[in-house]
């Protein structure tokens, strides 16, 4: 390995990148912009669910009951309906995601001490949303039931409300949220977005590097030059690794300053692990670049390979433990998952290499394997 | 027929023939790119299968650790209620403070702490509090786990309170209670395979529809072949449109493969509405999205630039259009921003036709929005394209 030759390749590549103003601008702007847009915009909590009410009872109790839904921040009541046909229509058009139908004799039955069935129609197109809606409705109903029961006990046994409350006392569950005490969605997404931004931008930066030279034919200069395969690849990657490495710092700054996400771990460890991660993500771009012959193919393959597993299988939105086996297997195939553990661990949990060494090791192995594959794939004597 | 009519007629025929020839050229160019074609097949088959079968957004397998300070009948019964698919029992802790360390290490998500004398307290009606530690590094999942836990404990406590107060167990006719009866429509079993495979199909269509024509156009610019084309008897629209037509054809075929080769046979995804409508509107979506890509192509000078420009737009589209998380939960500005994302409309169309059996009369709003958006993007792209080569 001759450092001079590496430097020559690197400086040529660096000039090519810096001369292309738009490309250079986007290389820095894109990750930062995503971080801001997604940090504020990617809300994973389900709130403001469009909701409609069909009240067939029109009594005082039914109005009280409906009011509980009106009050909830989870539901955004769009209006009241007059018939079931209208409910169908609203659900079909997506004007409401759930409709609650309060039956006739709602008040009468409850006052007579009998139970009453309240039907809810839920749009099940989005299973997660349907599940969350069900949960909210159950929670509201059980709060109502608790009140009803206390009243009933007090009345039927002639005891005070306090006494009735004691009788029907529930077990309390004190929930304590760790690492993200106020359960802010941004605190859990922003660190993972550092992973997303690096994982998606750096392969794209690199993917066109070699294939561009293949398409324009300038690769023949390399074939005939004294530069060795390894020197060429290292030199080629250096500028892109540098750009991504400076993006690490930029993204970290955005996370701690703009989003005020606490950084509890060791910065040195974080930077070192991030650098390792950037090596793997640029490595993926390099492999794509070596495998294909057109920039069009390189672009689309890099975009799909970088974005899809990163969105789905890296723990950004759904933890890997919730996935089924085949998806978990796929999650382990991409470096994003390991780095998500590292960013979340160093930002929120204050854990370091003692806990995260397996993830660091996985990234290291990943980078090494990509390096070997890249070296093997690149030949100075291509067929045809 | 007058001579003028015949001339006009001939010109029309020639115009269309040129368009057809150019479209065939684009198709050939695409088919010759073996890695790209292989990847297209993978994206619309295996990738759809893995995502459809593997993605779970609802809470699953939240690792539960228990510190049981009571070891009684009641505590064991309560622990048993934390069961799959929501919770996965990760083991018992001997000391309460061990929970923190285990959560630090990751893997488990919640720690339930049951105090001593739990059983006794239940029998006498003394107040009793359980503690739950929840890892909220992933906040929605943490909240969801806490929600399920609260539901389980609530149900358990209601039952014990009932038996203490001498009331019949469970919800009963003779108590003033609201019995919640939910019906889930369109996807009764809340089958995530349906939802995730549809979402993935839309993701793939979007990426391909945006990138393929954009890269193809920029390639011609980069190599200078577009100038050759422009001095040929072709109009700019005859250069741009074939790229879109070719990609649309390819994408529609790929969608058919995904739908009839993977989603229907393996996941049982229904097609409740009209297939013809689905394919027509998919074509509209592809053309609209391609309009976005072509617009980016007129801004870019080389393929690296166009790649970055499109990805800059595609990533927010994929994450914020409502295929990952419901759009109504998003902040207002995101919803305004997504008004220019064709995917935001197409997701309604796809769900409407496939799951709800909706027809055009139900879907005219998103369809109109897509058409207007596609028309203006295309028009604007054309305008810029012409101006660049004047």
């Amino acid at each position: 390995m001759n450092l001079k030759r590496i430097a020559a390749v690197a400086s040529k590549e660096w000039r090519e990148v810096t001369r292309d103003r738009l490309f250079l601008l986007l290389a820095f702007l894109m990750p930062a912009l995503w971080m801001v847009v997604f940090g504020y915009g990617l809300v994973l909590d389900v709130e403001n669910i469009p909701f409609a009410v069909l009240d067939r009872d029109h009594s005082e109790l039914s109005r009280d009951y409906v009011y509980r839904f009106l009050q909830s921040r989870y539901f955004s009541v769009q209006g009241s309906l007059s018939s079931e046909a209208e409910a169908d229509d609203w659900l079909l058009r997506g004007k409401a995601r759930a409709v609650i139908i309060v039956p006739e004799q709602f008040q009468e039955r409850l006052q007579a001490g009998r139970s009453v069935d309240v039907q809810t129609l839920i749009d099940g197109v989005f299973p997660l949303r349907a599940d969350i809606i069900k949960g909210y409705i159950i929670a509201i109903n059980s709060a109502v039931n608790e009140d009803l029961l206390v009243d009933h006990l007090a009345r039927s046994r002639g005891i005070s409300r306090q006494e009735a409350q004691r009788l029907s006392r529930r077990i309390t569950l004190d929930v304590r949220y760790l690492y993200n005490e106020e359960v802010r969605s941004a605190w859990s997404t922003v660190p993972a977005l550092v992973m997303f931004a690096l994982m998606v931008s750096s392969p794209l930066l690199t993917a066109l590097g070699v294939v561009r030279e293949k398409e324009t034919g300038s690769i023949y200069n390399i074939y005939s030059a004294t530069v060795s395969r390894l020197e060429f690849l290292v030199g080629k990657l250096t500028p892109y690794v540098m750009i991504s490495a400076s993006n690490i710092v930029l993204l970290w700054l955005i996370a701690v300053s703009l989003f005020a996400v606490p950084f509890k771990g060791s910065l040195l460890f974080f930077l070192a692990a991030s650098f390792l991660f950037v090596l793997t993500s640029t490595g993926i771009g390099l492999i794509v670049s070596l495998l294909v012959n057109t920039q069009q193919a390189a672009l689309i393959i890099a975009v799909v390979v970088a974005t899809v597993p990163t969105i789905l299988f890296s723990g950004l939105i759904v933890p890997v433990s919730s996935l089924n086996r085949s998806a978990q297997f796929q999650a382990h195939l991409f470096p994003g998952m390991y780095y998500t553990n590292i960013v979340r661990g160093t930002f929120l949990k204050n854990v370091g290499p003692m806990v995260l060494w397996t993830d660091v090791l996985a990234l290291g192995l990943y980078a090494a394997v990509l390096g070997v594959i890249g070296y093997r794939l690149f030949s100075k004597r291509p067929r045809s | 027929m007058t001579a003028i009519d015949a001339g006009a007629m001939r010109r029309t025929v020639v115009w269309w023939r040129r368009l057809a020839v150019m479209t065939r050229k684009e198709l050939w160019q695409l088919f010759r790119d073996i890695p790209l074609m292989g990847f297209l097949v993978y994206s619309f088959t295996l990738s759809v299968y893995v995502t459809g079968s593997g993605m779970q957004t609802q809470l699953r397998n939240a690792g539960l650790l228990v510190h049981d300070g009571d070891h009684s009948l009641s505590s064991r019964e309560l622990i048993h209620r934390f069961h799959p698919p929501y919770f996965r029992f990760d083991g018992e802790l001997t000391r309460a403070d061990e929970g923190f360390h285990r959560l630090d290490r990751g893997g488990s998500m919640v720690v339930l702490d049951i105090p001593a004398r739990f059983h006794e307290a239940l029998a006498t009606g003394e107040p009793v509090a359980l503690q739950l530690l929840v890892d909220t590094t992933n906040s929605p999942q943490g909240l969801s786990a806490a929600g399920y836990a609260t539901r389980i404990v609530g149900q358990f406590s209601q039952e014990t309170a009932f038996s203490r107060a001498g009331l019949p167990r469970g919800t009963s006719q003779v108590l003033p209670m609201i019995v919640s009866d939910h019906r889930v429509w369109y996807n009764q079993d809340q089958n995530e395979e349906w939802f995730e495979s549809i979402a993935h199909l839309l993701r793939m269509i979007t990426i391909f529809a945006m990138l393929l024509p954009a890269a193809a156009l920029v390639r011609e610019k980069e190599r200078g072949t577009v100038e050759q084309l422009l001095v040929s008897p072709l109009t700019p629209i005859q250069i741009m449109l074939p790229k879109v037509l070719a990609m649309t054809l390819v994408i529609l075929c790929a969608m058919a493969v995904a739908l009839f080769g993977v989603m229907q046979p393996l996941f049982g995804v229904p097609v409740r509405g009209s297939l013809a409508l689905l394919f027509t509107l998919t074509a509209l979506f592809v053309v609209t999205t391609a309009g976005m890509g072509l617009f980016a192509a007129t801004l870019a000078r080389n393929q690296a630039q166009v790649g970055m420009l499109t990805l800059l737009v595609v990533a927010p589209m994929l994450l914020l259009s409502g295929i990952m998380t419901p759009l109504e939960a998003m902040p207002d500005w995101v919803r305004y921003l997504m008004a220019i994302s064709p995917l935001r409309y197409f997701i309604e169309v796809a769900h409407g036709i496939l799951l709800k059996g909706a027809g055009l009369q139900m879907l005219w709003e998103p369809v109109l929005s897509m058409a207007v958006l596609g028309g203006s993007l295309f028009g604007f792209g054309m305008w810029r394209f012409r101006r660049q080569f004047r």
Side-chain angles (χ1 to χ4, degrees):
Chain A
M1 278 241 284
N2 185 331
L3 280 179
K4 250 184 167 169
R5 286 202 286 251
I6 295 177
V9 176
S11 83
K12 177 224 149 221
E13 193 71 17
W14 179 250
R15 255 183 246 171
E16 214 163 299
V17 171
T18 45
R19 270 192 201 148
D20 191 339
R21 288 289 159 78
L22 183 63
F23 184 77
L24 189 67
L25 178 74
L26 288 172
F28 289 103
L29 188 69
M30 189 162 69
L33 198 71
W34 280 343
M35 183 94 166
V36 176
V37 168
F38 294 139
Y40 286 114
L42 188 62
V43 173
L44 300 177
D45 321 308
V46 178
E47 289 176 12
N48 299 322
I49 301 154
F51 190 81
V53 180
L54 172 54
D55 184 354
R56 289 212 172 109
D57 197 37
H58 294 291
S59 62
E60 199 183 326
L61 267 186
S62 75
R63 269 192 296 273
D64 283 354
Y65 177 64
V66 167
Y67 186 68
R68 302 236 186 183
F69 289 89
L70 286 167
Q71 265 188 320
S72 159
R73 73 191 159 99
Y74 301 116
F75 297 107
S76 145
V77 178
Q78 305 292 306
S80 20
L81 309 173
S82 50
S83 70
E84 211 152 320
E86 211 179 352
D88 287 3
D89 188 61
W90 279 43
L91 285 172
L92 201 55
R93 284 174 194 274
K95 271 177 83 178
R97 298 300 181 191
V99 175
I100 191 155
I101 302 175
V102 183
E104 285 141 12
Q105 297 177 317
F106 178 82
Q107 177 163 320
E108 214 179 298
R109 285 184 67 100
L110 287 179
Q111 281 175 345
R114 284 156 66 206
S115 71
V116 61
D117 280 358
V118 171
Q119 203 180 62
T120 325
L121 309 176
I122 301 171
D123 175 349
V125 162
F126 213 126
L128 173 70
R129 180 177 57 202
D131 201 46
I132 292 172
I133 293 175
K134 257 197 225 169
Y136 292 156
I137 291 172
I138 290 175
I140 291 181
N141 278 336
S142 85
V144 175
N145 280 339
E146 203 174 338
D147 290 352
L148 288 170
L149 198 69
V150 169
D151 282 347
H152 175 74
L153 278 176
R155 239 181 310 119
S156 62
R157 307 210 168 162
I159 50 179
S160 69
R161 266 190 70 93
Q162 277 83 4
E163 185 71 2
Q165 239 155 12
R166 203 192 60 79
L167 258 180
S168 66
R169 169 119 47 207
R170 318 199 123 216
I171 305 167
T172 45
L173 182 69
D174 294 334
V175 180
R176 230 183 108 190
Y177 298 109
L178 296 183
Y179 315 122
N180 180 2
E181 290 75 11
E182 293 163 52
V183 204
R184 289 193 211 165
S185 166
W187 282 22
S188 72
T189 42
V190 167
L193 284 171
V194 175
M195 178 280 301
F196 177 82
L198 290 173
M199 186 61 232
V200 177
S201 68
S202 35
L204 189 67
L205 287 176
T206 327
L208 300 188
V210 178
V211 77
R212 184 166 49 217
E213 304 215 17
K214 281 196 233 169
E215 220 176 31
T216 57
S218 64
I219 194 88
Y220 289 101
N221 296 331
I222 299 300
Y223 291 160
S224 57
T226 50
V227 63
S228 77
R229 288 195 279 170
L230 193 62
E231 286 161 3
F232 173 70
L233 292 178
V234 172
K236 194 91 192 167
L237 281 184
T238 306
Y240 301 113
V241 170
M242 276 161 62
I243 293 177
S244 297
S246 45
N247 274 333
I248 299 171
V249 179
L250 184 67
L251 295 172
W252 183 84
L253 279 174
I254 294 178
V256 293
S257 59
L258 192 62
F259 292 103
V261 180
F263 186 81
K264 298 175 181 163
S266 141
L267 190 58
L268 199 67
F269 170 69
F270 170 76
L271 290 177
S274 301
F275 188 73
L276 200 55
F277 176 64
V278 161
L279 286 183
T280 66
S281 56
T282 37
I284 290 177
L286 177 74
I287 302 288
V288 172
S289 200
L290 291 169
L291 279 175
V292 301
N293 292 312
T294 62
Q295 293 188 62
Q296 192 183 22
L299 259 184
I300 202 147
I301 294 175
V303 168
V304 174
V305 168
T307 51
V308 172
T310 311
I311 293 176
L312 298 176
F313 304 130
S314 61
L316 172 66
I317 290 173
V318 185
V320 174
S321 63
S322 288
L323 304 172
N324 85 352
R325 275 172 177 245
S326 67
Q328 280 198 17
F329 177 72
Q330 201 172 351
H332 284 80
L333 286 181
F334 289 91
M337 183 196 91
Y338 307 105
Y339 186 59
T340 307
N341 293 339
I342 295 173
V343 266
R344 287 216 169 115
T346 47
F347 264 92
L348 300 171
K349 284 187 172 179
N350 187 19
V351 289
M354 298 295 284
V355 170
L356 297 167
W357 65 272
T358 45
D359 297 296
V360 176
L361 188 69
L363 287 182
L365 276 176
Y366 211 99
V369 169
L370 285 177
V372 171
I373 296 177
Y375 183 71
R376 284 289 160 96
L377 276 177
F378 182 62
S379 161
K380 288 184 70 172
R381 288 175 190 79
R383 280 170 296 143
S384 86
Chain B
M1 199 188 277
T2 65
I4 299 163
D5 278 349
M9 180 91 169
R10 207 174 51 236
R11 273 198 298 280
T12 320
V13 170
V14 168
W15 197 93
W16 282 104
R17 199 179 288 155
R18 280 180 185 152
L19 199 70
V21 168
M22 286 299 286
T23 309
R24 212 169 62 201
K25 169 221 152 206
E26 293 296 335
L27 281 173
W28 273 122
Q29 213 159 6
L30 211 55
F31 291 151
R32 286 212 182 120
D33 198 333
I34 309 280
L36 185 59
M37 280 297 111
F39 201 70
L40 180 91
V41 172
Y42 158 79
S43 300
F44 284 85
T45 53
L46 194 63
S47 173
V48 173
Y49 172 71
V50 171
T51 311
S53 63
M55 243 330 245
Q56 294 278 1
T57 49
Q58 300 173 67
L59 185 77
R60 287 284 181 281
N61 300 322
L64 170 81
L65 293 164
V66 180
H67 174 247
D68 186 352
D70 196 34
H71 287 288
S72 61
L73 207 63
S74 301
S75 68
R76 243 162 288 154
E77 203 201 318
L78 179 63
I79 295 165
H80 270 294
R81 297 198 180 190
F82 286 78
H83 53 67
Y86 309 114
F87 293 98
R88 175 194 68 210
F89 189 67
D90 277 359
E92 234 177 88
L93 304 173
T94 44
R95 286 177 22 224
D97 55 350
E98 219 183 307
F100 291 99
H101 303 293
R102 293 288 294 268
L103 290 183
D104 271 353
R105 292 217 313 255
S108 300
M109 197 194 244
V110 285
V111 177
L112 178 70
D113 192 352
I114 301 174
R117 296 191 56 251
F118 176 66
H119 187 71
E120 245 180 280
L122 287 187
T124 56
E126 271 173 67
V128 56
L130 306 174
Q131 206 187 41
L132 190 76
L133 300 176
V134 185
D135 175 352
T136 37
T137 42
N138 186 318
S139 66
Q141 293 274 329
L143 281 178
S144 185
Y148 276 110
T150 312
R151 230 190 275 181
I152 291 168
V153 172
Q155 180 71 28
F156 182 77
S157 98
Q158 191 188 53
E159 285 173 24
T160 49
F162 272 25
S163 62
R164 201 169 53 232
L167 296 169
R169 259 179 173 249
T171 45
S172 161
Q173 277 283 317
V174 298
L175 284 174
M177 296 196 69
I178 291 168
V179 182
S180 196
D181 165 26
H182 359 257
R183 294 194 189 168
V184 176
W185 283 6
Y186 315 126
N187 182 357
Q188 277 82 354
D189 307 321
Q190 292 176 53
N191 186 332
E192 290 218 70
E193 290 175 345
W194 292 6
F195 180 76
E196 294 300 338
S197 62
I198 294 172
H200 197 68
L201 177 66
L202 302 194
R203 251 193 297 273
M204 288 304 166
I205 294 177
T206 311
I207 294 177
F208 278 88
M210 183 100 122
L211 255 65
L212 280 180
L217 189 65
V218 174
R219 177 173 53 199
E220 305 233 28
K221 256 164 88 169
E222 224 177 358
R223 292 182 173 178
T225 44
V226 78
E227 275 155 33
Q228 271 173 40
L229 289 175
L230 284 166
V231 296
S232 70
L234 296 163
T235 59
I237 200 159
Q238 279 170 319
I239 297 167
M240 261 172 95
L241 202 58
K243 295 192 192 301
V244 177
L245 284 179
M247 313 302 170
T248 310
L249 275 176
V250 170
I251 290 173
L252 287 182
C253 290
M255 178 170 96
V257 170
L259 198 57
F260 303 118
V262 179
M263 292 158 68
Q264 273 203 330
L266 299 178
F267 301 141
V269 174
V271 184
R272 298 197 172 122
S274 143
L275 260 182
L277 187 65
L278 178 68
F279 278 84
T280 314
L281 293 181
T282 307
L284 174 65
F285 169 70
V286 173
V287 170
T288 304
T289 311
M292 250 176 169
L294 290 176
F295 179 58
T298 64
L299 295 174
R301 273 206 317 276
N302 55 50
Q303 296 192 63
Q305 290 181 353
V306 91
M308 301 282 266
L309 276 175
T310 43
L311 189 58
L312 185 71
V313 183
V314 162
M317 270 171 73
L318 294 183
L319 277 170
L320 302 176
S321 291
I323 55 171
M324 293 302 297
T325 53
L327 198 66
E328 54 255 21
M330 307 269 175
D332 284 340
W333 64 269
V334 172
R335 279 185 285 169
Y336 294 132
L337 196 67
M338 285 302 119
I340 54 164
S341 159
L343 185 55
R344 178 229 172 292
Y345 305 107
F346 190 52
I347 188 172
E348 273 180 56
V349 170
H351 283 155
I353 297 176
L354 292 173
L355 301 181
K356 296 182 176 178
L360 202 53
Q361 73 280 2
M362 285 288 177
L363 297 170
W364 66 268
E365 271 174 296
V367 171
L368 188 69
S369 310
M370 267 201 292
V372 169
L373 192 66
S376 31
L377 280 168
F378 234 91
F380 199 60
M382 268 322 291
W383 176 73
R384 278 195 52 95
F385 185 63
R386 272 185 201 197
R387 235 181 41 153
Q388 276 184 337
F389 290 98
R390 185 100 34 85

